[in-house]
Amino acid sequence: MTAPALLPLSGRRLPPLNLGASSFPHHRATLRLSEKFILLLILSAFITLCFGAFFFLPDSSKHKRFDLGLEDVLIPHVDTSKGGKNLGSFLIHGQGHDEHRHREEEERLRNKIRADHEKALEEAKEKLKKSRDEIQAEIQTEKSKVVQELKKKDSKPLPPVPLPNLIGINSGEPADPDIREKRNKIKEMMKHAWDNYRQYGWGHNELKPIARKGHSTNIFGNSQMGATIVDALDTLYIMGLHDEFREGQEWIDKNLDFSVNSEVSVFEVNIRFIGGLLAAYYLSGQEVFKIKAVQLAGKLLPAFSTPTGIPWAMVNLKSGVGRNWGWASAGSSILAEFGTLHMEFVHLSYLTGDPVYYNKVMHIRKLLQKMDRPNGLYPNYLNPRTGRWGQHHTSVGGLGDSFYEYLLKAWLMSDKMDTEARKMYDDAIEPSLANCFGWANICL
């Protein structure tokens, strides 16, 4: 059945349809777009096949190896002249090393892999001979063992540390009546703020004073972690508000949980939570504060899992996934944030005897010392993937301020023994003053 024509042909003669080869013009020198696309696909598939065959062919002495210059460094070499006792070391193979010995070593490795594989198969066969109930019972037993081990690990008491000599907390009333009046007024203001937070925002991170309700901000996550309670503990203790202090301690002991699915600021949580908990512990000696500080620090450690060791700005307390602020110079880390972890992490290592916290912050310091500083200044942005500065924007105010503050405090905290921190501070401040004011001695 033929389709009707939409327009009259007006006597125009149509050439007869010829299905032979002559219907394709021989003079066409270019390919159509669809033909080009098909040829490109075929070429891409051929290249992929070649590269795949090249890299994934089985290793055999009959094939020529593709030498990247790394084999001599990465393959462990056993020195048989020493009885094979140096199995854990990595030696550099020079040219002309014993090929026979190398083949023997490879054969031993293959035999070990084969033996382990056969052992695993035998264990699997033994498992399959058991009934379903027996297998489930064994799995449940293994789970119970793991749970018990985790409980033992979590409940392991932290080592005791000597408490510092607390000066000025219980030293009596000042003799000057004017000073006494001012001090009592400040204490009254603190109690007013605490009582209203207690009434309207208890357990929330912060209080909206006009709306009279609590709320949680993104820097502390979307969970009720009581940021105001933790941050106020040392002030309450120093002011002698011990009833309020005990209220906060009770809430922390029963409610403060860091296993929540919340994304928090590493910097803010460090200075306010870890710093607040450590200060409360040093002032009161209550173990709960030290335990909570160590638990939270463990949740922050995944933020340091970057190619450079410079931590992410944000980390999820549950998953350990980190990221940076999108606005911070193409996702860079911020100087005032990763540079303001030192004091708390050093104290964590001192309290627990675990050097992991100290090593994390010292790695940051060593990395900064090795880097070139434009005009002697520390830029505010550092890419944690590449280890390169972002924008060459420098500030001793926002984005940079607390980095310099912590250098000076680290020196003072060490009883002025940390001369490295003092030198970094002096080396940074001098060009900062020169660049800001033109003459360094104007501000000295």
Side-chain angles (χ1 to χ4, degrees):
M1 180 177 179
T2 58
L6 297 178
L7 293 175
L9 298 177
S10 304
R12 184 172 41 172
R13 188 175 181 180
L14 292 176
L17 182 61
N18 186 0
L19 299 178
S22 60
S23 63
F24 294 91
H26 296 282
H27 63 276
R28 181 163 60 88
T30 59
L31 297 175
R32 294 188 181 90
L33 182 61
S34 60
E35 295 171 339
K36 293 180 180 178
F37 182 69
I38 292 172
L39 286 175
L40 182 61
L41 285 179
I42 294 173
L43 182 61
S44 300
F46 178 73
I47 294 174
T48 304
L49 180 63
C50 290
F51 273 92
F54 185 76
F55 283 104
F56 296 106
L57 278 175
D59 186 17
S60 171
S61 59
K62 296 180 180 179
H63 298 96
K64 186 177 180 180
R65 294 173 182 258
F66 182 68
D67 188 7
L68 292 175
L70 297 176
E71 182 186 14
D72 290 342
V73 178
L74 300 178
I75 297 178
H77 176 64
V78 179
D79 190 353
T80 55
S81 63
K82 295 182 179 180
K85 295 181 180 180
N86 195 23
L87 293 175
S89 62
F90 291 85
L91 304 179
I92 297 179
H93 299 274
Q95 294 182 355
H97 66 275
D98 193 350
E99 289 291 341
H100 179 68
R101 183 187 301 170
H102 188 74
R103 285 195 297 271
E104 287 182 349
E105 176 63 19
E106 287 184 349
E107 187 62 29
R108 280 196 294 270
L109 290 174
R110 290 192 185 96
N111 291 337
K112 185 178 184 305
I113 293 172
R114 190 179 299 110
D116 292 341
H117 181 64
E118 291 176 355
K119 182 181 178 181
L121 286 176
E122 289 297 327
E123 292 177 354
K125 289 178 182 178
E126 292 296 326
K127 291 284 185 184
L128 291 174
K129 292 179 182 178
K130 297 180 180 179
S131 66
R132 181 177 180 182
D133 293 337
E134 289 176 332
I135 294 175
Q136 288 180 343
E138 287 186 2
I139 293 174
Q140 191 60 41
T141 303
E142 291 298 326
K143 285 183 178 180
S144 300
K145 288 181 180 179
V146 172
V147 171
Q148 292 299 326
E149 289 176 359
L150 290 175
K151 286 183 178 180
K152 289 179 181 179
K153 184 178 179 181
D154 292 338
S155 61
K156 183 180 179 181
L158 296 172
V161 297
L163 291 176
N165 184 22
L166 307 179
I167 301 174
I169 296 177
N170 301 307
S171 58
E173 295 288 328
D176 190 330
D178 184 51
I179 295 177
R180 186 164 59 247
E181 180 182 358
K182 291 177 180 177
R183 191 176 78 160
N184 290 337
K185 184 63 179 178
I186 295 171
K187 184 176 178 178
E188 177 189 334
M189 294 166 64
M190 177 63 186
K191 191 172 187 324
H192 170 79
W194 177 264
D195 289 343
N196 281 274
Y197 169 76
R198 182 74 176 81
Q199 181 176 355
Y200 299 111
W202 189 244
H204 288 271
N205 289 330
E206 295 177 352
L207 169 67
K208 290 184 175 181
I210 297 178
R212 295 186 180 183
K213 63 180 182 180
H215 78 110
S216 296
T217 59
N218 61 339
I219 59 174
F220 300 125
N222 53 8
S223 301
Q224 295 185 22
M225 294 175 60
T228 294
I229 299 175
V230 179
D231 204 18
L233 285 173
D234 53 351
T235 303
L236 291 172
Y237 196 95
I238 291 171
M239 288 185 170
L241 299 172
H242 296 299
D243 291 338
E244 291 77 3
F245 179 87
R246 281 189 287 271
E247 287 179 346
Q249 177 181 340
E250 183 179 356
W251 186 92
I252 288 171
D253 190 21
K254 295 181 178 179
N255 300 284
L256 187 55
D257 181 17
F258 302 120
S259 61
V260 292
N261 186 18
S262 291
E263 189 179 51
V264 300
S265 164
V266 175
F267 159 70
E268 293 288 351
V269 166
N270 174 69
I271 65 172
R272 306 198 186 281
F273 278 82
I274 295 182
L277 290 167
L278 290 178
Y281 170 70
Y282 278 128
L283 290 169
S284 68
Q286 297 297 318
E287 287 288 315
V288 60
F289 300 127
K290 180 172 69 173
I291 292 171
K292 293 290 184 180
V294 175
Q295 289 176 352
L296 177 55
K299 296 289 186 178
L300 299 185
L301 286 179
F304 293 83
S305 299
T306 64
T308 60
I310 298 295
W312 299 113
M314 309 285 290
V315 69
N316 187 293
L317 293 178
K318 188 171 185 178
S319 67
V321 176
R323 69 176 180 91
N324 276 344
W325 305 106
W327 52 263
S329 186
S332 293
S333 298
I334 300 172
L335 181 67
E337 293 190 340
F338 67 78
T340 311
L341 307 170
H342 191 92
M343 289 195 298
E344 291 82 0
F345 274 56
V346 168
H347 271 278
L348 284 169
S349 285
Y350 169 70
L351 289 171
T352 64
D354 189 344
V356 62
Y357 311 105
Y358 174 83
N359 291 338
K360 295 294 184 185
V361 291
M362 287 305 297
H363 174 77
I364 295 174
R365 180 186 287 186
K366 298 299 183 185
L367 182 65
L368 291 176
Q369 286 180 316
K370 293 178 182 178
M371 296 186 65
D372 292 330
R373 291 181 289 140
N375 299 319
L377 304 172
Y378 287 101
N380 291 334
Y381 302 108
L382 179 61
N383 191 306
R385 293 186 180 90
T386 65
R388 297 177 182 174
W389 298 116
Q391 289 177 309
H392 286 185
H393 174 270
T394 300
S395 171
V396 292
L399 304 178
D401 50 359
S402 54
F403 164 69
Y404 306 100
E405 168 195 333
Y406 264 49
L407 286 176
L408 195 58
K409 284 182 176 179
W411 174 65
L412 294 171
M413 184 181 70
S414 68
D415 197 20
K416 302 181 180 181
M417 299 294 290
D418 189 356
T419 56
E420 184 180 61
R422 180 56 195 262
K423 185 177 186 305
M424 289 181 67
Y425 175 81
D426 291 337
D427 291 345
I429 291 301
E430 184 176 351
S432 298
L433 295 174
N435 281 274
C436 289
F437 302 102
W439 301 96
N441 58 2
I442 290 179
C443 300
L444 298 180

